[in-house]
Structures are given as C-alpha cells and as structure tokens.
Amino acid sequence: MTQQKDVSPAPPRPESGRAALLEWLRWMRDHQPVALDETSGMWQLFRYDDIHRSHTDLTDFSAELGRVLPLGELSRGVLAVMDPPRHGQVRALVSQAFTPRTVARLEPHVAELTRRLLDEAAGQDEVELMRALAYPLPISIIAELLGVPRQDREMFRRWADTRLSGDHEAEAVFDDDTIRASVDEMHAYLLEHVRARRQRPSDDLISRLALAEVGGDRLDDQEIVHFTGLLLMAGYTTVAAMLGNAVLLLHDNPGAADALRADPGLIPGAVEEVVRYYPPLPQSLKLLKNDVELHGTTMPAGSLVTTWTLSANHDERHIADPGAFDIRRDPNPHVGFGHGIHFCLGASLARLEGRIALEALLARLPGPRVLREPEMYPNPRILAPREVWVATGG
C-alpha cells in the first residue's frame, strides 16, 4: 500500500542556512516521514524510530551499497559498506589494532598539539579556527596513529576537500574524474606504507593491521588501504566538523560556554550534545533487501534509502526540546555516531579530541565570538563550516 503523498517543500540549498534545513526536516517528520526523492530515485527516512531500525534491522536493511553503486574494489575492507558475517570478521581484525588503550595513549599528545596550535595562532586579533586548529589537529593525530608522516597533512586535507567540495548525488561521485583521481592518489600513497610495514613493522596502526589475525583470517593489502583511507578521511572530516560546529553552537549559546568554563566536567556532555545537534554526517545510505512498509508507504527491495541522522537527532518523539542546545542533556540518545554493528569505530578518539580541544578553546577565547556567518560545505553528506573566524580578544 502506498499513501497519497503531500506536496513536500523542496530541501533547502546549503546557502539557505542550517535553520532552514532543520525546519524542512521537521516538516518532513510531521507530514511525510517516508518520501521518494524524484531526482535521485532514493527513498528518505526522517523519524528516529525508522532510522534506528535501519541501523539494527539486518534482515531488511543492508550496508552493502556495492550491490547497486559502482564501488568495485573500493568497498573491500570498508566496514561501513559491509554486512555480516564479513563485517564481524573484519571488525574483529581492525579492533585488535584500534583499541581503547591505543586511543588513551594519544591523550597527552592531543593536549600538547592543541596547545601548540593555539600558541601559533596567538597574537592575532582574529583567527580562522578551522585552519588554525580544527583541520590540523585531527589530521596530525590520525597520521600519527596510522604511522604516516604528519608533514603530509596538507595533502590529506586536499584529498578530503576534493571529496567534500562537490554537490553530488551518491552515485554521481564515482563518475567524477577529479574525485576518482584523488582517491587513486590516496590509495597509492597508503599502499606504499602498507607494503613497507609488511617488511618492517613498527608501533603504528598500519603495522598492527598488517599483523592482525583472527582464526587464521588476515587482511590483505587492499583491505588495509581502503580501511585506513576511510579512517584518514572520516577521522579528519568528522572531528574538524565537530569542532567547527561546537564553536558555532557556543557562540549562539553563551550561557553554555560560561557553564563549561565554570565546570569543565560538563565538557564530555557538551561534546555529545554538539554531535546530536549538528552531526558531522547528517545522513547515510542503506540498501533494502526486502520490500519495507513504513507509515503506509512501501519501499521496494533494491531501493537505496537516505536515512537522515540530523532529523532523528531532532525528532520531538524521542528528544525532549530538541531545538535547545542543552549541555546537561541526560539521557542523550542521539545517533550521531551511528548505532548497532556500524557504531563508529573512532567515536572514542573523536570524543577525546573534542573534549581536549573544547577545554583549551574555552580557556583561550572569549565567548567564543564568531565574527561572521560561516559558509557551509555544499556537500549534503557533511554538516560543517569551511571557515570559522573568531575574535581572540575580549
């Protein structure tokens, strides 16, 4: 059964602003929680319960996008586009290398690097915070974790910006020669490091991935390349986005900034609230294994489904007063880091970097006071400012 559709408003362009996007998502949750995007041919889900189901219902919802998108070899080793049983096998392997102990060992370095980056920006009346801190911090940490040279971080950023700067539908990305060339360059770079670690293992993530074994199963070179490539891009872009979004939210909510200065113990909760309010990855894709009926609408098997994380995190049916930025929100059942078997492997590292960076920023910056409305990335799959100019004086 398919319901008669309301005439829904067109989604706003990124330049329309975050408020317009949140209002559109609210309208869709209330009036058309299951909608077909006529342009892309993809279905869209907007309510918390439905998006939560898409993460946990492995019978009807699949992550294996390569069945319908031309991912080819790019899907090998990438947990985000795997279903069980292979997902569990690969996650068990990479989890040996990406342990809580590994993340905890990075804390002193994250703190020192944050201090040094902010020292370099000192003495200026205003600072562009994304370039000064939000970009170099996660790039440097991920590079150190992987064991690749930190001095190559501008190259890493170029690869990420190439992926983020386009306004592409999901399938069109793979027809973009510039993006494909960027991905090929990144993979060739990482393959050199993987092969070197096979010969001379070191104390880094690539080496541990090369040596990891579960029940006789090991990752091959291409699987390690694709996993580390995703980690390099995701670990950089999501943390950078989270820090930029945090500054924007604290500017809009100065009382929250004052409370965090008075009690830094509230900062971990503030990080969670930033990820809820403006999740760096506002949407994700799933593939339907079977026909699925929701709210009187049947989505056919084989369809791609856009699940709106941003909308779920603002769904009044599950989140009390979702328009309020509440650093004391408890519980905070957001899905900004995903849920179920695809919960973000790097969430603990993102939380660590967010906590340390926010504490340092609040100690250094007034407000923080944002000097001009930021330009957001045009890519609908990232919710992040390109630049955030802040005042450094009182």
Side-chain angles (χ1 to χ4, degrees):
M1 165 179 159
T2 302
Q3 68 185 14
Q4 183 176 358
K5 296 181 175 63
D6 297 297
V7 178
S8 59
R13 298 288 302 168
E15 59 268 22
S16 302
R18 290 155 284 147
L21 176 58
L22 288 174
E23 178 57 26
W24 176 72
L25 292 172
R26 184 202 62 75
W27 193 98
M28 296 300 288
R29 284 194 303 275
D30 289 347
H31 300 283
Q32 206 170 329
V34 180
L36 179 63
D37 182 337
E38 302 286 354
T39 301
S40 67
M42 297 182 190
W43 292 89
Q44 300 184 87
L45 300 181
F46 298 92
R47 289 188 183 172
Y48 184 98
D49 282 340
D50 301 329
I51 291 160
H52 188 276
R53 176 182 170 185
S54 76
H55 287 299
T56 57
D57 179 353
L58 305 180
T59 300
D60 290 331
F61 291 86
S62 171
E64 293 185 349
L65 305 180
R67 295 183 184 182
V68 293
L69 294 179
L71 298 180
E73 287 290 299
L74 296 178
S75 62
R76 294 187 60 226
V78 178
L79 288 168
V81 291
M82 285 183 188
D83 286 345
R86 186 55 180 162
H87 176 276
Q89 295 165 345
V90 173
R91 184 142 186 153
L93 285 165
V94 300
S95 294
Q96 291 184 53
F98 203 82
T99 64
R101 182 180 177 187
T102 300
V103 173
R105 276 174 30 191
L106 290 169
E107 181 163 358
H109 182 60
V110 173
E112 170 59 22
L113 181 57
T114 301
R115 183 196 63 75
R116 187 169 2 117
L117 290 169
L118 291 176
D119 283 348
E120 291 172 3
Q124 305 173 54
D125 292 334
E126 56 184 61
V127 169
E128 200 289 286
L129 201 61
M130 301 303 286
R131 181 168 288 276
L133 178 68
Y135 293 141
L137 175 64
I139 284 181
S140 298
I141 297 302
I142 288 291
E144 176 162 320
L145 184 67
L146 292 177
V148 298
R150 281 188 298 168
Q151 59 264 32
D152 291 342
R153 69 190 191 193
E154 282 305 312
M155 184 164 58
F156 307 153
R157 181 183 175 185
R158 173 170 56 79
W159 292 333
D161 280 351
T162 299
R163 296 288 299 273
L164 296 177
S165 295
D167 184 8
H168 296 289
E169 297 296 341
E171 65 272 24
V173 169
F174 306 102
D175 296 325
D176 187 308
D177 291 340
T178 301
I179 291 177
R180 290 304 296 258
S182 176
V183 171
D184 289 344
E185 182 185 0
M186 178 180 70
H187 286 170
Y189 171 90
L190 291 169
L191 183 59
E192 286 186 18
H193 286 280
V194 172
R195 287 173 172 168
R197 295 316 187 284
R198 294 281 194 200
Q199 299 298 319
R200 297 178 299 280
S202 184
D203 185 23
D204 56 50
L205 182 59
I206 291 179
S207 297
R208 290 193 287 276
L209 288 169
L211 297 173
E213 182 175 340
V214 174
D217 191 18
R218 303 181 69 175
L219 297 170
D220 64 31
D221 286 359
Q222 287 301 323
E223 287 176 313
I224 297 173
V225 164
H226 296 156
F227 173 76
T228 53
L230 177 65
L231 186 63
L232 184 64
M233 294 296 98
Y236 155 52
T237 56
T238 57
V239 174
M242 180 179 69
L243 294 178
N245 291 336
V247 171
L248 299 181
L249 285 164
L250 291 174
H251 169 83
D252 292 338
N253 299 272
D258 292 340
L260 294 174
R261 283 194 183 89
D263 183 3
L266 295 172
I267 290 178
V271 170
E272 297 301 314
E273 183 67 347
V274 169
V275 175
R276 180 197 72 83
Y277 205 99
Y278 288 147
L281 303 178
Q283 54 177 249
S284 62
L285 284 180
K286 296 290 185 181
L287 173 67
L288 292 184
K289 296 180 180 179
N290 306 298
D291 291 354
V292 173
E293 182 179 339
L294 288 172
H295 310 290
T297 296
T298 298
M299 300 179 292
S303 297
L304 282 172
V305 181
T306 298
T307 64
W308 277 94
T309 303
L310 176 61
S311 183
N313 285 355
H314 285 261
D315 189 346
E316 301 84 347
R317 297 156 188 81
H318 272 271
I319 309 291
D321 193 13
F325 178 68
D326 183 0
I327 60 174
R328 296 179 175 85
R329 187 179 296 277
D330 186 23
N332 191 345
H334 70 80
V335 289
F337 287 123
H339 190 74
I341 67 169
H342 289 106
F343 184 81
C344 177
L345 189 66
S348 59
L349 179 57
R351 286 165 168 154
L352 173 71
E353 292 178 272
R355 171 174 59 81
I356 291 172
L358 275 188
E359 186 168 358
L361 284 170
L362 289 164
R364 297 282 193 108
L365 297 180
R369 182 159 57 91
V370 178
L371 298 175
R372 56 192 72 107
E373 182 66 21
E375 176 190 0
M376 306 298 285
Y377 274 104
N379 191 313
R381 286 170 296 283
I382 186 80
L383 184 59
R386 285 181 182 272
E387 296 183 343
V388 179
W389 286 93
V390 297
T392 59

